[in-house]
Amino acid sequence: MNFCSNCGNPVQLTIPEDDDRKRFCCNHCGMIHYQNPRLVVGAIPEWQDRILLCRRDIEPQRGLWTLPAGYLENGESVEDGARRETREETKAEIIDLSPYFLADLVPINQLYLIFRCQLARPEFAITRESSELRLFREEEIPWDEIAFQVIRVTLQKYFSDRAAGTFPFRNEVVRIALNCPAEPAP
Amino acid sequence: MNFCSNCGNPVQLTIPEDDDRKRFCCNHCGMIHYQNPRLVVGAIPEWQDRILLCRRDIEPQRGLWTLPAGYLENGESVEDGARRETREETKAEIIDLSPYFLADLVPINQLYLIFRCQLARPEFAITRESSELRLFREEEIPWDEIAFQVIRVTLQKYFSDRAAGTFPFRNEVVRIALNCPAEPAP
Ligand SMILES: [Zn+2]
Ligand SMILES: [Zn+2]
């Protein structure tokens, strides 16, 4: 951030009064520009004993497999966001959403909220973002071709919990390298 | 948003290529300025059969009671954020955090993530933001003086779940009026 989005004058990185950390501040109009982590919503769409993965057709990590996920938009609930992202990336409809994993990607200021859910029907199709969609049994998961560390951790927890027969809500900091590829801007 | 925070030129509200909703776009440097919901983290600090509430000493809703909560900052986990906000508003230390309620405030683009937790010690003190701190039994809760609808709903769910003896993770859209007072900027 270089300029004030309110008045167009240059901003300074400085600690405002009654605060304890540096913010982008505009000395001209007085606006303080806070920056906060962004929430990614995603889904583990189940059909019988299989789950739906998408082969990415966009960078980063084009060609690798992931779960449908993307930034939550203003004006939508987290469930609606997960449904929208799944529709956009797989043309599939999901139902029976249940919050499962809140993954904290602290170094890159992202949070992933992943829902378990069911496919309404075993119907999906390629999209601008996905070159291939496929239902995988656990033993078929392409572990060496998973696009992002947070998706790998999500899948590991999911299959481990499934084996144990219970899916408690989980919240964890997922350690990723700063230079690790992550979801791009929406 | 009126000006590009990257280059300082005026932005236009228009639908970018490969997108389906209006964004603030800069025709000069090409940057698209996405706006996303913000996450508030908060706590229900327990001490034996009582919980800690704060009487607000700042606007909005000065004088009314609330739970410690505030915007998650870049570079901190959700648990660390809830601990920091509790410390800032009550000078209390909390332990044993467990995610409890994700409240979706869709019309104002806010999400509240509230943790159940324990006070490390029954020690707290007034702060710049809180004129009074007090441990309340359920029958003592000042229901007519709760600052925000989302806090009221959180407390209702908490006592209802406590009576039932179980605290499942909950995610719900909390209906609030657009002109309803909500947490201010951090
Ligand atoms: Zn300004
Ligand atoms: Zn620009």
Side-chain angles (χ1 to χ4, degrees):
Chain A
M1 168 166 275
N2 305 305
F3 296 92
C4 175
S5 56
N6 184 48
C7 76
N9 281 283
V11 289
Q12 283 78 40
L13 193 58
T14 175
I15 301 176
E17 201 182 342
D18 287 333
D19 203 338
D20 59 1
R21 61 186 76 196
K22 289 185 176 175
R23 315 281 183 185
F24 289 106
C25 300
C26 177
N27 289 338
H28 189 80
C29 75
M31 190 167 278
I32 304 169
H33 299 278
Y34 298 96
Q35 298 187 313
N36 300 86
R38 292 206 286 177
L39 186 64
V40 173
V41 285
I44 308 174
E46 302 174 346
W47 182 256
Q48 294 161 353
D49 64 338
R50 295 181 290 173
I51 64 166
L52 186 65
L53 297 184
C54 326
R55 193 194 283 274
R56 288 175 65 81
D57 201 19
I58 50 174
E59 295 298 345
Q61 304 293 74
R62 184 192 291 248
L64 299 188
W65 293 90
T66 191
L67 293 167
Y71 284 112
L72 182 65
E73 298 274 8
N74 276 353
E76 71 183 358
S77 71
V78 285
E79 281 204 10
D80 285 346
R83 272 188 282 261
R84 175 184 52 75
E85 287 291 342
T86 303
R87 206 176 293 128
E88 287 177 7
E89 298 181 9
T90 74
K91 292 190 183 164
E93 288 299 322
I94 53 175
I95 54 176
D96 298 338
L97 284 76
S98 176
Y100 172 52
F101 185 33
L102 181 65
D104 224 325
L105 277 56
V106 176
I108 60 170
N109 303 314
Q110 281 185 5
L111 287 153
Y112 273 66
L113 178 64
I114 305 286
F115 290 86
R116 292 193 306 121
C117 58
Q118 302 293 316
L119 286 178
R121 300 165 293 279
E123 291 170 12
F124 39 83
I126 61 169
T127 61
R128 190 184 68 80
E129 298 179 42
S130 308
S131 60
E132 186 182 354
L133 286 307
R134 195 178 135 193
L135 288 167
F136 288 89
R137 290 199 173 78
E138 180 175 0
E139 60 272 21
E140 299 168 335
I141 297 287
W143 291 107
D144 294 341
E145 296 173 56
I146 301 297
F148 307 112
Q149 174 66 4
V150 61
I151 302 299
R152 181 187 312 276
V153 170
T154 302
L155 293 175
Q156 286 165 345
K157 286 187 190 300
Y158 171 80
F159 287 114
S160 160
D161 283 343
R162 199 170 77 167
T166 177
F167 289 100
F169 181 77
R170 297 185 176 281
N171 165 223
E172 230 172 76
V173 173
V174 172
R175 311 265 162 213
I176 57 164
L178 253 178
N179 60 355
C180 209
E183 279 285 319
Chain B
M1 167 167 274
N2 304 304
F3 297 92
C4 175
S5 55
N6 184 48
C7 77
N9 281 282
V11 289
Q12 284 76 40
L13 192 59
T14 173
I15 300 176
E17 201 182 342
D18 288 333
D19 203 337
D20 61 0
R21 63 186 76 196
K22 287 184 176 176
R23 317 280 184 184
F24 289 105
C25 299
C26 178
N27 290 337
H28 188 80
C29 75
M31 190 168 279
I32 303 169
H33 300 276
Y34 297 98
Q35 298 188 311
N36 301 87
R38 292 207 286 177
L39 187 64
V40 172
V41 286
I44 307 174
E46 302 174 347
W47 182 257
Q48 297 161 351
D49 64 339
R50 294 182 291 173
I51 64 166
L52 185 64
L53 297 183
C54 326
R55 192 194 284 273
R56 288 175 65 82
D57 202 18
I58 50 175
E59 295 297 344
Q61 304 292 77
R62 184 191 293 247
L64 300 188
W65 294 90
T66 192
L67 293 167
Y71 284 113
L72 181 66
E73 297 274 6
N74 276 353
E76 72 184 356
S77 70
V78 285
E79 280 204 9
D80 286 346
R83 273 188 281 262
R84 175 184 53 73
E85 287 291 343
T86 303
R87 206 177 292 128
E88 286 177 7
E89 298 181 9
T90 74
K91 293 191 183 160
E93 289 298 322
I94 53 174
I95 56 176
D96 300 338
L97 284 75
S98 174
Y100 172 53
F101 185 32
L102 181 65
D104 224 326
L105 277 55
V106 175
I108 60 170
N109 303 313
Q110 281 186 5
L111 287 154
Y112 272 66
L113 178 64
I114 305 286
F115 290 85
R116 290 193 306 123
C117 59
Q118 302 294 316
L119 284 179
R121 298 167 294 278
E123 291 171 13
F124 40 82
I126 62 168
T127 61
R128 190 184 67 81
E129 300 180 42
S130 308
S131 60
E132 185 181 357
L133 286 308
R134 194 178 135 192
L135 288 167
F136 289 88
R137 292 199 173 79
E138 180 175 1
E139 60 272 21
E140 299 167 336
I141 297 287
W143 292 108
D144 293 339
E145 296 173 55
I146 300 298
F148 307 111
Q149 173 67 1
V150 61
I151 301 300
R152 181 186 313 274
V153 171
T154 301
L155 293 174
Q156 286 167 343
K157 284 186 192 302
Y158 170 81
F159 287 115
S160 161
D161 283 344
R162 198 170 79 168
T166 175
F167 289 100
F169 180 77
R170 298 188 175 279
N171 165 222
E172 229 172 76
V173 174
V174 172
R175 313 262 163 218
I176 56 164
L178 254 177
N179 60 354
C180 210
E183 280 285 318

